[in-house]
Structures are given as structure tokens and as C-alpha cells.
Amino acid sequence: MKQHPGLTPFMENIPVKGILQPDERLHALKRRDFARWQASEKLPDTLLCRAINEMEQGLVDADLGQCLYKKRVARQGRGKRDGYRTLVSARIGNRYVFLHGFSKIDKANITQEEKQALQYAGKVFLELTQAALVKALQTGVLVEVRCEQDCRNPAR
């Protein structure tokens, strides 16, 4: 993994009134399609939070350009090598949106067309205003990533 330059200490919390409890903050999101895939793979949110924590420390597997990153996530009880690949649109230190995931066993990589589509979708999600973000959460277009603990200290 390479160290990503220019990282901030930790993501800025984005309050979302009416969706989360008043004292909670939104750290990371996932697209509805990603959430379905995640559920089918039985991949817990805590592992996504661990990936965010690693990204905050500068550990990204690949910077694909236009705020799109590839991040490996370990299968439970196994290592990252045999695990999952997630594509995360991120403004590191601010907002994270899990866009796409796949098992390394099922697919080696994404196509150039998939990459371009994910870069575009990621840009849209990263640029959402707070009002649009709330609407996306209310309608289920986006789902929040929930951790038992704050993403800075995910359960190990």
C-alpha cells in the first residue's frame, strides 16, 4: 500500500438532523447497491470502518483519480489477499462513500468504463449539499455506515 499525501488528522463530522440521533455524526456512506452486495457477502460495517481508519492513516491500495480509491477489505477470519476490493469515493478527511465492492476470487479488477462511471457517481455523491445528503438518506439512495464505535477506533 502506498502512503497518500496531504491527509488530514480525521474526517470532519457531518451532522444530519432527522436521520441520525442528535448526538451522532455521519462519517461514511454506502450506495444502496453496495449495501445489497455487502449484505450478500455478510461483510460487517466494522470492517468498512477499519478501511476508513486505514485511509485516514494514508493507507490506500490505489488512487484511481478523481477522488476514487481502491481499498482492500479482509474477509472475516482471513487476510486481505483473499478478501474484497472496495471502491470508495472519498475526500479524505471529510466524506467517504462506498460505491462498489467485489471479491478478488470473482473478479480481478474493474473495467475502464466501470472506473469512469464510478468516478462520475462518486463526484456527485461527494458534492451533495447537506439538504441533498439528507434526502438521499431518507430515500435510501445512500445508507450510512454504522460502527459499534467511532471510525477512529473500530472494533478489532
Side-chain angles (χ1 to χ4, degrees):
M1 279 187 254
K2 65 181 183 177
Q3 183 77 16
H4 192 275
L7 297 178
T8 59
F10 192 69
M11 65 184 92
E12 180 181 310
N13 295 326
I14 305 167
V16 182
K17 219 173 192 178
I19 300 291
L20 304 172
Q21 298 301 324
D23 59 335
E24 288 183 298
R25 297 289 182 250
L26 185 62
H27 298 293
L29 306 162
K30 52 191 170 186
R31 228 170 55 159
R32 178 179 21 210
D33 294 347
F34 182 93
R36 285 187 194 127
W37 168 82
Q38 177 191 9
S40 74
E41 295 292 329
K42 297 178 177 54
L43 179 66
D45 275 359
T46 52
L47 292 180
L48 301 181
C49 290
R50 187 173 297 157
I52 291 169
N53 184 46
E54 290 174 1
M55 290 177 76
E56 284 292 324
Q57 295 172 37
L59 302 173
V60 294
D61 296 302
D63 182 342
L64 303 177
Q66 298 183 30
C67 299
L68 183 65
Y69 299 90
K70 183 194 290 188
K71 184 68 185 137
R72 294 188 304 171
V73 176
R75 286 182 190 263
Q76 284 194 300
R78 300 167 96 179
K80 290 183 181 180
R81 178 176 286 200
D82 295 326
Y84 302 106
R85 304 303 180 257
T86 61
L87 294 159
V88 184
S89 190
R91 290 221 169 89
I92 299 201
N94 188 310
R95 187 180 295 179
Y96 299 80
V97 183
F98 286 87
L99 300 171
H100 183 66
F102 58 95
S103 169
K104 182 69 175 171
I105 295 167
D106 297 335
K107 186 175 183 178
N109 214 338
I110 60 169
T111 66
Q112 190 63 27
E113 292 78 22
E114 288 171 316
K115 175 183 165 184
Q116 290 172 345
L118 290 168
Q119 286 172 328
Y120 178 78
K123 180 178 185 226
V124 169
F125 290 131
L126 290 177
E127 292 177 355
L128 289 177
T129 64
Q130 178 136 348
L133 183 60
V134 169
K135 186 159 183 101
L137 286 163
Q138 288 172 334
T139 59
V141 171
L142 291 175
V143 179
E144 63 182 302
V145 174
R146 292 201 173 262
C147 300
E148 292 176 14
Q149 298 179 18
D150 182 296
C151 287
R152 282 170 264 185
N153 299 305
R156 300 264 178 212

